[in-house]
Every structure is written in C-alpha cells, then in structure tokens.
Amino acid sequence: MRWMALVMVSVSLNLAPVSGDEPLVQRYLHTGQLARGEQVLESALEVAPEDDQLRFSLAVLQLFRGVERLGQSLYEFGCLPENNMPFLRFPVHRNPDPSTITYPTLRRILIGFQADLAAAETTLAGIRETEVKLPLRLADVRLDLTGSGQSQERMIDILRKMMGRDFRDDKDNPDFLICLDRGDVAWLRAYCHLLMGMIDLQLAVDGEAAFDLQADQHFAKPKRRFEGPDQERWNRLSEVWQVVRFKDPARLRHFRLHFLKVCELNRETWAYIRAETDNDHEWLPNPRQTGVLRMPVSDEMIDAWLQMVAEVERAFNGQKKLPAWIIAFFHSDSKKGMNLQVFLDEPPETIEWERLKAEGVREKYLDGIHPDVDIGAFLRVGRAFQNTLAVGYAAWFN
C-alpha cells in the first residue's frame, strides 16, 4: 500500500520515480526541500492513512523543519554564536544585518518552536505499528538556517558544533547511518515533551527586565542595550530576580504535565529497546547492541535511570514531596516538605526571596503527609553513568 500511495502522489505532484531502496523522506532531507517533502508525505498519508512508515517519515521531517525554522529565527535576529542559554545555543552563523530583537519577539520565537514540536509529537503519537523502522543517513541532511532558500548547512557539521565530536571520523559509518525503530518513536516523543516543557517553564516567568539587562550578550542588535560595567549589570540582575513574577502562570501546570509524559515515554522507550534482538545502526542501544555513538549501555544504567524517572514522576504527580531539608535552605525553621504538584498547579503571583527566607514556604504548598522523594535515586544515576559522563548520558537517555 505504501508504494502504491507514493507512486500515486509522485504522479500527481510530477515527482521523479520513487525508489524502494531508501525512504522517500531522505530525498527531501538530503536536498533540503523540507516544505516540499512535508507536502508529499502528507499527501501520501491521505492515500494510505494506516501506513506508520510514512507517518514516522513525516514526523522526522516535521522535527527537522522545526529545527530549521528555529535556526532561521535565531539568525534573523543576530543570535551570537557563543551563547550558552537554553534554545539559543543552536549554532547559526553571524548575521551581518540582523533585525532588532525584543523580549516579546524572543517569546514568539519560542512559542513557534514549541508549536513545531507539538505537531511532530502529534504525528509520532499516531504510530501503532511495533515493527516500524526508518533508516536515515544523517550526514547529508541539509538545512537552510539563514532563510535564504539555500540549504547549505549539513547536519553532520551542526552535530559537530553542538556535541564537539566529528562523526565523519567514524570510518565504519561515514554517512552517519542510523536506523530508527519503535523504541526511538517513544524516545523522540519524550524529547518533544521535554523541550516543550522547558519552553513552558521559561515562558511562565516574566523575564523581560532580565532580558533587557543581558540581551547584548546573546543578540547582536537588541532594542534595549545595557550600558555600563559588568559589575553593575550583575548587581541589577540580582535586584531583578529578588522577585520572580509569573507572566503566564498556567504554563507551570503545562510544564508539569509535559514532564509526566516524559516519564511515561521513558518507560515505553526502554521496554521496546530492551526487547530488541537485532543490531542495526542503533541510535539508542540495549546492552546487547552497539550504538552509532559508541557509548556503552548496561542494565545497571537503565535500571538506575528508570528508578530516578519514577521518583521524578512521583514528585510531579504529588505522590511524593520535596524533603524538608531542601526547603530548609530557604527557611531554616521549615519542618515540612513541599508538594511540587500543588505549587505548579496553583502557583503564587510572585516568589519573593526575602519573604521566603523570613516566613518560609506558604502553608498551602507544605506537605507533611506524603513520603520524601528519594534523592539517592539521582545519585545512583551519577554512579551508574560513571559521574563524569553523567550529563552526556542523561541528555542522551532523555
């Protein structure tokens, strides 16, 4: 049915003949024709709506389009390459003639990226076939990160800049071939929710005053540029963050729900990955497989990770509380823990740090009933991932 759908779409859209050797999506990823590819795959899915191979292909293309649009926005507004802020670290070239950036503009950029992630996640969520598989040669995926209409950036170079590793050095896999399967469907969905949750958390807070104080460190042409010595900048930033104001507090609940979905999908990911018996260019391998990243995975790592995920889940759904000793960092007389679910679902209008130190956490957020989150679960992950590699493994595991 898939090939009949692709042939019909190819004829109707006047495309070159479809080959069965590699997935059609790769043609559009390698030529950088992402918008065209999305049109073709959506049309093919209309002909064959039960085809999860097509659906997987469309979702991957939607993800790349979202990344491309984020890159174009960062380039348009002159995002500086030495950025270390979330979502601004994406490597784009310096724009010789950038547009002026404001805080509302930055929020619109993040909202747009979040919408692209949501579209891809919705497509991925429609996949039901357990044997789905999608081979992709990532080295030659091309993106247009300047909005010029020329897809000149190769994915292999983007990965090298972001990860500090040149995958072209792998002589056994110079095309950086990966074969995505059902476990990777869940992994990609989890990553979409992770990033959407991070955006919700960032957009929940009113960060305009802080943005204006440091925009020149992240963008080439901010509308408001701080003029003064660095010490004065940091003093004023410290004053600004003495009171945290929420611009869109409802996003805190969305953040919580996204992270609960991440936890659910982590379990699904590893259930599928652990059940695999092949060994074919795995993105996320089980202990019997070899991954394309050449990072070994053990059952101890997976078990420790899932135990930590369970603790995160219990904290976010209110079954466990943040321990009192953590709350005591803010108010030494605190004898109760804090219910994170209540705080995120019913946040205060502001967080005033001086008031917090003087009076403690508000009574409605305190919890003397539920057990404490097991902080040891987080420490066990660090040991299982050999501590120095913990951050890299955590970003990979999701």
Side-chain angles (χ1 to χ4, degrees):
M1 184 66 175
R2 176 184 314 131
W3 298 113
M4 183 182 298
L6 291 176
V7 169
M8 291 173 64
V9 171
S10 297
V11 171
S12 65
L13 296 177
N14 195 28
L15 301 175
V18 177
S19 168
D21 295 337
E22 292 191 349
L24 177 63
V25 66
Q26 191 158 264
R27 172 196 297 176
Y28 298 101
L29 291 174
H30 284 187
T31 59
Q33 297 175 302
L34 304 191
R36 180 66 161 167
E38 187 170 15
Q39 177 189 10
V40 169
L41 290 169
E42 286 177 343
S43 298
L45 262 179
E46 290 179 4
V47 177
E50 303 301 318
D51 193 324
D52 278 345
Q53 183 79 5
L54 289 173
R55 186 168 284 105
F56 199 179
S57 296
L58 175 61
V60 168
L61 191 143
Q62 288 172 323
L63 282 171
F64 277 112
R65 280 209 80 192
V67 169
E68 182 179 70
R69 279 193 280 250
L70 174 64
Q72 289 175 357
S73 295
L74 296 180
Y75 177 81
E76 177 186 352
F77 293 100
C79 188
L80 300 176
E82 56 270 19
N83 256 298
N84 59 1
M85 297 292 289
F87 304 106
L88 304 185
R89 295 181 65 249
F90 191 75
V92 295
H93 294 293
R94 285 184 180 273
N95 187 340
D97 186 26
S99 299
T100 300
I101 186 78
T102 63
Y103 179 68
T105 301
L106 176 61
R107 290 180 68 91
R108 287 196 295 271
I109 291 171
L110 294 178
I111 290 170
F113 184 46
Q114 188 181 54
D116 286 334
L117 291 169
E121 197 282 330
T122 298
T123 302
L124 288 165
I127 295 175
R128 296 290 180 264
E129 173 61 51
T130 59
E131 300 300 322
V132 68
K133 191 167 187 175
L134 183 63
L136 292 173
R137 302 181 186 277
L138 291 186
D140 285 322
V141 170
R142 295 181 181 274
L143 302 178
D144 171 16
L145 299 182
T146 64
S148 65
Q150 302 296 317
S151 301
Q152 298 176 337
E153 294 292 330
R154 297 174 70 228
M155 195 65 200
I156 199 77
D157 297 320
I158 296 171
L159 290 173
R160 175 179 54 80
K161 293 174 184 176
M162 295 184 68
M163 303 176 67
R165 175 177 171 183
D166 195 338
F167 293 95
R168 289 170 297 193
D169 291 340
D170 189 345
K171 297 179 180 178
D172 294 329
N173 189 18
D175 293 332
F176 198 29
L177 171 65
I178 62 172
C179 292
L180 300 174
D181 48 35
R182 186 59 183 81
D184 299 305
V185 171
W187 183 87
L188 286 168
R189 289 186 65 198
Y191 237 105
C192 287
H193 281 286
L194 176 69
L195 295 175
M196 288 190 288
M198 291 171 61
I199 291 172
D200 273 326
L201 182 61
Q202 186 167 338
L203 295 180
V205 175
D206 185 351
E208 186 162 12
F211 175 83
D212 289 342
L213 284 169
Q214 53 189 338
D216 62 297
Q217 297 182 323
H218 305 297
F219 292 93
K221 193 178 178 182
K223 184 174 183 178
R224 296 186 178 90
R225 181 182 295 273
F226 176 77
E227 302 289 350
D230 283 345
Q231 187 59 54
E232 182 182 349
R233 186 202 303 268
W234 301 127
N235 290 342
R236 291 177 62 179
L237 274 171
S238 179
E239 292 174 6
V240 165
W241 289 121
Q242 284 298 311
V243 179
V244 177
R245 292 178 171 82
F246 293 111
K247 186 178 183 70
D248 191 353
R251 286 185 177 273
L252 291 175
R253 183 172 187 273
H254 299 159
F255 158 72
R256 181 179 74 84
L257 296 177
H258 279 306
F259 269 61
L260 284 175
K261 199 65 179 179
V262 171
C263 295
E264 174 190 329
L265 289 165
N266 262 260
R267 286 193 296 273
E268 182 179 318
T269 296
W270 287 107
Y272 279 112
I273 296 293
R274 278 180 147 171
E276 290 178 12
T277 57
D278 65 341
N279 191 15
D280 186 8
H281 297 86
E282 308 295 335
W283 173 248
L284 198 62
N286 64 38
R288 302 178 302 279
Q289 296 171 316
T290 301
V292 293
L293 297 182
R294 307 294 182 184
M295 295 171 68
V297 173
S298 68
D299 281 318
E300 179 189 7
M301 289 178 175
I302 300 172
D303 290 340
W305 179 260
L306 292 178
Q307 289 168 13
M308 183 202 70
V309 165
E311 290 300 304
V312 171
E313 185 175 45
R314 292 174 186 128
F316 276 92
N317 66 19
Q319 293 178 339
K320 287 194 172 184
K321 66 179 185 295
L322 299 183
W325 63 264
I326 292 181
I327 309 306
F329 280 110
F330 305 103
H331 184 65
S332 59
D333 293 335
S334 180
K335 299 295 187 294
K336 293 182 179 180
M338 177 177 168
N339 190 299
L340 197 58
Q341 178 189 15
V342 176
F343 175 80
L344 294 172
D345 285 1
E346 304 173 29
E349 292 183 2
T350 62
I351 298 175
E352 302 174 42
W353 296 109
E354 289 300 322
R355 192 207 68 80
L356 185 62
K357 286 188 286 186
E359 303 175 17
V361 174
R362 297 177 188 182
E363 186 65 30
K364 69 181 293 185
Y365 303 127
L366 295 177
D367 187 339
I369 300 175
H370 294 99
D372 289 348
V373 168
D374 178 13
I375 302 300
F378 299 84
L379 301 178
R380 289 190 289 274
V381 166
R383 289 195 294 269
F385 290 172
Q386 302 172 25
N387 293 317
T388 56
L389 300 175
V391 173
Y393 266 103
W396 183 36
F397 269 42
N398 199 324

